[in-house]
């Protein structure tokens, strides 16, 4: 019954999220439901000491990123920079390549280490204007952004700065460039298949006479047409700046600092490597926001209103995602979950790549988090998989890459925090747009992962 309680809570969370019920309400109630099935587990203490600490810990770590990402998106939108970039890209690529333009631009940000939530905030105003220009239904935009932020650039391409690509290094003694050939062909395959799917959906919509949607008719609305826009090269500078600064901060500047003081208990006794990624994105966004305010100030009609809307706009996505993290922390703390992990260890014995892929994907699906599932799997099973790989003659670099690929798949089920954030930012529901997200971030990554396992 204990395990049944976990899967019942998970199922209800997915169903509730799909039907549009706020996860801020659902997550604590269903975490409590899962706890009720665990004999001897105190409900109230689990809520206050595990759920709320998990939720609060996420806010403590990531609220500045949500805030700065929202501000960045608001500045790009209200200044007309997003519209300017979209027009420039349209001129260069043509309307037929609007989907490709969003995928490539977002993938570059994701590859550079910008978090999925920040990519969502950054790419939404840009993608919205591109889709308006091309008259592609807005409902296809979340799947397009998800392709960039929650798929190949996050886990496949070697050298990526996302935590999903750097986390296995501590367990397998590898580098971010592990198994480069495997990473490149799987990443390209995911991008191509996702583009083919999304492009097909856009063509079907055009055949049925479906346009962008309620926000505007074909092209930009009259206000956008009258607004004085920044030049294309000026408007795209903040996007380039983010990508460049993330690399400089994460690879050159911050690693050169003396961060030994972080091991002090006053600072959480952290390993410096645990915080470099967050700091690099935080500093990069801070500079990008300041830079955007300076260069776009004269293009903002109401600067104070832009900043206020950007500030308030981050609150709901932050709490949505934090509630999901609290739910995952609660599930991971239950005794029944230990039994699930134990059974995963015995699955596919003698086949470390298959076993790791299965375990990580399932754990990511249960927790609704790619990084969460990967961290739980590696912390509890990483050393075991490493020994299994050595005994089986499997390259640890290959194990690294398969592990990162495996966390992208079931993690993007309807209860995933990034998925909910993406839909919230886009002003759409699961019913509107989840089908495309499901195909591009669940079906296609799983298909490519299976192909990779068969080849290996």
């Amino acid at each position: 019954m204990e395990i049944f309680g976990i899967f019942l809570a998970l199922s209800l969370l997915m169903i509730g999220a799909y039907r549009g019920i706020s996860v801020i309400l659902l997550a604590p109630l269903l975490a409590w439901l899962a706890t009720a099935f665990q004999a001897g587990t105190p409900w109230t203490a689990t809520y206050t000491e595990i759920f709320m600490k998990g939720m609060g810990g996420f806010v403590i770590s990531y609220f500045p990123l949500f805030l700065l990402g929202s501000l960045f998106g608001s500045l790009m939108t209200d200044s007309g920079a997003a519209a300017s970039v979209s027009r420039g890209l349209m001129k260069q690529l043509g309307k037929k390549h609007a989907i490709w333009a969003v995928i490539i631009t977002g993938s570059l940000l994701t590859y550079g280490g910008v978090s999925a939530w920040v990519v969502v905030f950054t790419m939404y105003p840009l993608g919205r204007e591109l889709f308006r220009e091309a008259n592609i239904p807005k409902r296809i935009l979340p799947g397009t952004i998800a392709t960039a932020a929650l798929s190949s650039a996050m886990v496949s391409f070697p050298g990526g700065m996302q935590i999903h690509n750097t986390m296995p290094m501590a367990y397998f003694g590898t580098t971010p460039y592990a198994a480069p050939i495997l990473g490149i062909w799987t990443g390209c395959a995911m991008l191509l298949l996702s583009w083919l799917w999304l492009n097909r959906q856009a063509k079907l919509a055009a055949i049925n006479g479906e346009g962008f949607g309620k926000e505007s008719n074909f092209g930009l609305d009259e206000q956008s047409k009258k607004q004085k826009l920044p030049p294309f090269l000026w408007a795209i500078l903040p996007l380039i700046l983010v990508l460049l600064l993330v690399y400089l901060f994460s690879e050159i500047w911050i690693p050169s600092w003396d961060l030994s003081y972080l091991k002090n208990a006053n600072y959480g006794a952290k390993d410096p490597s645990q915080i470099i990624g967050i700091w690099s994105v935080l500093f990069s966004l801070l500079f990008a926001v300041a830079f955007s305010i300076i260069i776009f100030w004269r293009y903002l009609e109401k600067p104070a209103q832009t900043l206020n809307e950007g500030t308030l706009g981050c609150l709901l996505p932050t709490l949505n995602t934090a509630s999901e993290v609290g739910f995952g922390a609660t599930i991971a703390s239950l005794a029944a979950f230990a039994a699930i992990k134990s059974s995963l260890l015995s699955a596919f014995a003698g086949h470390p790549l298959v076993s790791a892929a299965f375990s990580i994907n399932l754990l990511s699906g249960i927790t609704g988090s790619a990084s969460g599932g990967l961290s739980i799997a590696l912390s509890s099973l990483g050393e075991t998989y490493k020994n299994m790989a050595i005994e089986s003659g499997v390259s640890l670099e290959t194990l690294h890459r398969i592990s990162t690929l495996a966390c992208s798949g079931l993690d993007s089920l309807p209860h995933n925090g990034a998925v909910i954030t993406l839909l919230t930012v886009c002003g759409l529901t699961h019913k509107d747009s989840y089908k495309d997200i499901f195909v591009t971030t669940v079906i296609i990554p799983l298909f490519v992962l299976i192909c990779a396992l068969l080849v290996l």
Side-chain angles (χ1 to χ4, degrees):
M1 288 297 290
E2 289 87 354
I3 294 178
F4 171 76
I6 291 176
F7 285 100
L8 175 62
L10 177 65
S11 300
L12 292 176
L13 184 62
M14 288 190 289
I15 293 171
Y18 184 83
R19 292 187 173 277
I21 302 175
S22 172
V23 72
I24 298 174
L25 174 64
L26 280 175
L29 291 177
L30 294 178
W32 224 344
L33 175 65
T35 304
F37 282 84
Q38 318 300 310
T41 302
W43 293 11
T44 305
T46 299
Y47 175 71
T48 60
E49 302 306 310
I50 298 177
F51 181 93
M52 286 306 300
K53 284 186 177 180
M55 181 177 178
F58 179 86
V59 174
I60 290 171
S61 297
Y62 291 102
F63 178 73
L65 301 187
F66 274 85
L67 173 61
L68 292 173
S70 182
L71 283 171
F72 190 29
S74 184
L75 287 165
M76 289 289 291
T77 301
D78 290 358
S79 67
S84 178
V85 171
S86 72
R87 290 182 180 181
L89 289 174
M90 280 295 178
K91 185 176 180 180
Q92 296 297 321
L93 300 175
K95 296 174 183 177
K96 292 183 179 179
H97 301 291
I99 292 175
W100 206 220
V102 174
I103 290 175
I104 294 301
T105 306
S107 295
L108 287 173
L109 289 174
T110 302
Y111 178 77
V114 178
S115 70
W117 302 289
V118 175
V119 173
V120 168
F121 281 116
T122 304
M123 290 308 303
Y124 170 65
L126 169 61
R128 181 183 61 192
E129 299 302 334
L130 280 170
F131 275 45
R132 274 176 170 171
E133 288 281 1
N135 204 30
I136 297 173
K138 183 185 174 184
R139 62 176 176 81
I140 299 176
L141 182 56
T144 308
I145 296 176
T147 298
L150 306 177
S151 184
S152 57
M154 181 178 78
V155 299
S156 297
F157 292 109
M161 289 295 103
Q162 293 294 336
I163 186 66
H164 315 81
N165 188 42
T166 59
M167 196 184 302
M169 296 189 300
Y171 297 91
F172 306 142
T174 50
T175 72
Y177 296 92
I181 295 176
L182 175 62
I184 290 171
W185 81 254
T186 53
C188 290
M190 277 192 253
L191 285 179
L192 178 60
L193 291 173
S194 297
W195 173 78
L196 289 172
W197 169 266
L198 294 166
N199 199 49
R200 178 177 179 273
Q201 298 307 301
K203 288 182 177 179
L204 290 175
I207 292 173
N208 295 328
E210 182 182 358
F212 175 78
K214 297 179 180 179
E215 288 195 29
S216 82
N217 297 318
F218 180 79
L220 297 174
D221 55 31
E222 293 302 316
Q223 182 178 358
S224 296
K225 289 178 180 178
K226 294 178 182 179
Q227 182 182 12
K228 182 180 179 181
L229 302 180
F232 171 77
L233 293 178
W234 206 242
I236 204 171
L237 274 178
L239 293 175
I240 298 174
L241 183 66
V242 168
L243 188 60
L244 177 62
L245 286 178
V246 167
Y247 174 78
L248 292 175
F249 275 117
S250 63
E251 289 296 297
I252 300 175
W253 293 336
I254 297 181
S256 68
W257 299 353
D258 179 10
L259 301 177
S260 57
Y261 64 87
L262 290 174
K263 297 180 180 180
N264 189 295
N266 293 331
Y267 299 100
K270 290 183 180 241
D271 185 324
S273 63
Q274 295 177 307
I275 205 166
I276 287 177
I278 293 177
W279 281 11
S280 63
V281 176
L282 179 63
F283 290 143
S284 300
L285 278 172
L286 185 61
F287 277 103
V289 168
F291 182 73
S292 299
I293 292 174
I294 293 171
I295 67 171
F296 296 144
W297 185 266
R298 64 193 180 99
Y299 296 100
L300 297 171
E301 293 184 5
K302 300 179 180 178
Q305 181 176 325
T306 296
L307 296 176
N308 287 338
E309 288 178 352
T311 301
L312 296 176
C314 77
L315 297 180
L316 182 58
T318 302
L319 291 178
N320 273 335
T321 310
S323 294
E324 285 289 340
V325 172
F327 176 83
T330 302
I331 297 300
S333 72
L334 301 177
F337 189 72
I340 294 175
K341 289 194 294 183
S342 178
S343 64
L344 290 176
L345 185 59
S346 61
F348 308 106
H351 301 279
L353 295 180
V354 178
S355 182
F358 178 81
S359 301
I360 293 170
N361 233 309
L362 185 57
L363 289 168
S364 296
I366 290 174
T367 59
S369 167
S371 58
L374 182 61
S375 63
I376 292 171
L378 291 179
S379 62
S380 57
L381 304 172
E383 188 65 26
T384 301
Y385 283 134
K386 178 181 178 180
N387 294 332
M388 289 172 61
I390 293 173
E391 292 173 3
S392 304
V394 174
S395 165
L396 291 180
E397 287 200 354
T398 302
L399 179 60
H400 173 129
R401 188 57 54 204
I402 289 296
S403 297
T404 62
L405 286 169
C407 72
S408 175
L410 296 181
D411 68 300
S412 296
L413 292 174
H415 64 299
N416 174 277
V419 169
I420 293 172
T421 297
L422 172 58
L423 292 171
T424 301
V425 170
C426 292
L428 296 166
T429 66
H430 283 76
K431 190 173 294 185
D432 295 326
S433 300
Y434 183 69
K435 181 178 75 171
D436 293 328
I437 296 174
F438 181 74
V439 172
T440 58
T441 65
V442 179
I443 297 297
I444 290 175
L446 287 176
F447 173 74
V448 172
L449 174 62
I450 292 171
C451 290
L453 291 171
L454 290 174
V455 170
L456 296 171

